Amino acid sequence: MRAPGMDSKLPSSVRSTLLELFGQIEREFENLYIENLELRREIETLNERLAAEGQAIDGAELSKGQLKTKASHSTSQLSQKLKTTYKASTSKIVSSFKTTTSRAVCQLVKEYIGHRDGIWDVSVARTQPVVLGTASADHTALLWSIETGRSLAKYTGHVGSVNSIKFHPSEQLALTASGDQTAHVWRYAVQLPAPQPAADSSLCGEDEVECSDKDEPDADADPSSECPTIRAPLTSLKSHQGVVIAADWLVGGKQAVTASWDRTANLYDVETSELVHSLTGHDQELTHCCTHPTQRLVVTSSRDTTFRLWDFRDPSIHSVNVFQGHTDTVTSAVFTVGDNVVSGSDDRTVKVWDLKNMRSPIATIRTDSAINRINVCVGQKIIALPHDNRQVRLFDMSGVRLARLPRSSRQGHRRMVCGSAWSEDHPVCNLFTCGFDRQAIGWNINIPALLQEK
């Protein structure tokens, strides 16, 4: 028998990874063995208790029916305990494999720290220079250098929480929605700093740890205070009677749509600020709106458990279709390639829909936590799901889970993850997430490796 590593055809890095994997497997099975021993002791204790209850029942001379009910109840409890323990034990093993895979293909590249309150939304510019935008409850929006993590510009024109940010398809314009009941269009001009080498974050551990507020970015250290400030919009879109929770550009960038807590969505002419259409029909507050990348289509989501598709392709007809498939607030619905829409909900599910057949979803993803603003990598058809429980998971369009972004005491979000955005062409970061821990994070997702693992 050869010594470990001798005459091996494997590269040393691969061999080290394998040894680490086998070590993790061994530790998981040791834990499982210990848990099984403890479970066996608990079963013996339960059996003794059951036997004691049987004696007490006999002494009381209860009827056969009552005896059967009592025994059935105890057996059911025991069976449930066995099932629960089995699922918990096996899920730990499965989770260890998925975690290792996720770490290999999903790496944290950059953290964007400078907001003084939670970040509701994140977006990537569609024109050069490609910058990152964040919308925060601190009443500001920030533009960032993706490579260096430096803030390049701060927008301070709103007097309420900035709830969403979207970039114009062809100009250096940003569209922000706010709790001050308005949406603003503002122009920016930034110069990108020289890129710096990215720190290697791939060595961070994967153990789940509870983090306190002191682990969050320091709110007193405000790097954005040194960047240029944009104080007034080019255009202010007004007419809502409640919080404007989201806004987006229609294809071409000449019109914008807004979604509000006043239960309406509004379509505006951006150049004149004129209200073109008020879209009514939702029974409760709207939560999100999204436009199709190539067609004059809008989808709005609401707390009324539905999302609606609005069709503006024919100027004379503005049709609407209602999608009913969730049991709780629909937090967002977004377009993908072709005729598909993906919706996420507080009911902990994500559903993929075919616009040609609205009766039932073509795929359903069930998760363990409420889902916030989802985003789809259109080219690769990968859905990013930001969760209330601080996790971010990646799925394909058929509902197959691909990965979970690493999260530990040293990397990942420490509070609710609010939004996500893909940047398919960026060489360094191709997925961005933001959370209520006041930071945005840039990730490098090795998509070929991710799809190969699938």
Side-chain angles (χ1 to χ4, degrees):
M1 181 173 164
R2 70 185 181 192
M6 292 188 62
D7 301 326
S8 174
K9 307 294 185 193
L10 295 173
S12 59
S13 60
V14 174
R15 194 162 59 246
S16 299
T17 303
L18 283 173
L19 289 172
E20 181 187 351
L21 281 170
F22 285 125
Q24 288 182 20
I25 293 170
E26 183 180 5
R27 287 192 294 274
E28 290 293 343
F29 274 104
E30 282 179 0
N31 292 335
L32 185 58
Y33 177 72
I34 293 168
E35 288 177 4
N36 284 340
L37 289 178
E38 292 175 354
L39 179 60
R40 187 174 298 175
R41 284 194 291 271
E42 288 182 20
I43 291 172
E44 290 173 356
T45 304
L46 285 169
N47 281 333
E48 290 172 3
R49 190 188 308 165
L50 188 60
E53 287 177 356
Q55 289 175 1
I57 291 167
D58 289 336
E61 297 182 351
L62 295 177
S63 68
K64 258 187 184 179
Q66 289 171 305
L67 277 170
K68 186 175 180 182
T69 302
K70 186 82 172 176
S72 173
H73 178 66
S74 300
T75 306
S76 172
Q77 283 183 323
L78 179 59
S79 172
Q80 187 59 42
K81 190 171 184 66
L82 284 165
K83 285 180 184 176
T84 303
T85 308
Y86 172 75
K87 284 181 181 177
S89 302
T90 52
S91 68
K92 284 182 181 178
I93 297 175
V94 173
S95 149
S96 70
F97 286 111
K98 285 193 177 287
T99 287
T100 307
T101 300
S102 298
R103 182 167 50 191
V105 301
C106 309
Q107 293 188 4
L108 185 151
V109 177
K110 189 66 66 177
E111 294 176 327
Y112 305 89
I113 299 171
H115 280 294
R116 293 177 173 269
D117 208 337
I119 303 175
W120 293 120
D121 198 19
V122 61
S123 185
V124 180
R126 293 186 269 178
T127 58
Q128 294 294 334
V130 178
V131 295
L132 182 70
T134 52
S136 171
D138 66 8
H139 299 193
T140 72
L142 284 174
L143 303 184
W144 306 83
S145 163
I146 291 176
E147 289 82 2
T148 67
R150 281 180 51 192
S151 51
L152 305 173
K154 177 195 285 189
Y155 181 70
T156 61
H158 286 292
V159 294
S161 170
V162 184
N163 300 320
S164 79
I165 181 168
K166 287 289 184 291
F167 290 97
H168 191 277
S170 59
E171 299 182 47
Q172 290 188 15
L173 296 173
L175 171 66
T176 47
S178 173
D180 62 14
Q181 304 186 5
T182 70
H184 288 180
V185 176
W186 43 279
R187 186 175 296 279
Y188 62 91
V190 295
Q191 185 172 359
L192 296 180
Q196 299 171 343
D200 185 6
S201 304
S202 61
L203 301 179
C204 292
E206 284 293 315
D207 296 333
E208 293 287 334
V209 219
E210 294 298 323
C211 302
S212 64
D213 289 349
K214 67 183 180 182
D215 295 318
E216 294 179 17
D218 184 5
D220 294 327
D222 184 7
S224 69
S225 60
E226 300 176 0
C227 68
T229 299
I230 304 164
R231 292 183 170 84
L234 286 177
T235 302
S236 182
L237 307 178
K238 305 174 182 178
S239 67
H240 281 295
Q241 303 301 311
V243 167
V244 182
I245 197 67
D248 202 358
W249 302 92
L250 261 73
V251 58
K254 293 183 178 181
Q255 291 182 322
V257 64
T258 56
S260 172
W261 284 5
D262 65 10
R263 306 186 181 186
T264 69
N266 287 340
L267 183 65
Y268 294 92
D269 181 292
V270 173
E271 187 175 352
T272 65
S273 304
E274 178 188 353
L275 175 63
V276 180
H277 293 290
S278 185
L279 313 179
T280 60
H282 282 293
D283 295 328
Q284 293 189 44
E285 295 93 332
L286 272 64
T287 56
H288 192 250
C289 63
C290 179
T291 59
H292 194 282
T294 60
Q295 302 182 64
R296 289 177 55 80
L297 297 171
V298 174
V299 64
T300 56
S301 52
S302 170
R303 289 186 61 192
D304 65 11
T305 75
T306 73
F307 66 93
R308 293 176 176 240
L309 173 69
W310 310 83
D311 190 342
F312 297 100
R313 289 175 294 187
D314 185 339
S316 61
I317 304 172
H318 306 121
S319 62
V320 58
N321 292 312
V322 182
F323 290 75
Q324 297 175 318
H326 290 285
T327 59
D328 205 338
T329 297
V330 181
T331 51
S332 64
V334 299
F335 290 100
T336 68
V337 289
D339 293 318
N340 290 340
V341 167
V342 182
S343 60
S345 171
D346 278 345
D347 67 9
R348 304 183 179 185
T349 70
V350 171
K351 296 177 186 284
V352 182
W353 305 80
D354 185 344
L355 295 181
K356 297 174 182 175
N357 178 14
M358 304 181 303
R359 288 174 295 181
S360 60
I362 57 178
T364 297
I365 300 167
R366 303 187 188 282
T367 72
D368 60 352
S369 179
I371 295 141
N372 297 311
R373 291 179 175 176
I374 58 180
N375 199 264
V376 178
C377 177
V378 175
Q380 302 295 336
K381 300 182 180 179
I382 300 174
I383 313 167
L385 311 185
H387 289 281
D388 273 3
N389 68 359
R390 302 170 292 170
Q391 304 290 354
V392 181
R393 296 184 175 96
L394 306 181
F395 285 80
D396 69 11
M397 294 287 288
S398 60
V400 175
R401 177 177 160 179
L402 302 175
R404 175 177 64 82
L405 299 193
R407 200 192 70 76
S408 70
S409 59
R410 290 185 291 169
Q411 67 171 334
H413 289 286
R414 299 170 179 86
R415 287 195 177 183
M416 173 178 72
V417 189
C418 301
S420 58
W422 289 94
S423 175
E424 300 179 47
D425 299 327
H426 199 277
V428 179
C429 299
N430 53 3
L431 176 63
F432 300 89
T433 57
C434 64
F436 221 65
D437 55 0
R438 305 194 292 265
Q439 68 173 334
I441 297 176
W443 305 87
N444 179 266
I445 311 299
N446 186 338
I447 292 178
L450 193 68
L451 297 177
Q452 186 177 6
E453 290 290 341
K454 170 186 169 184

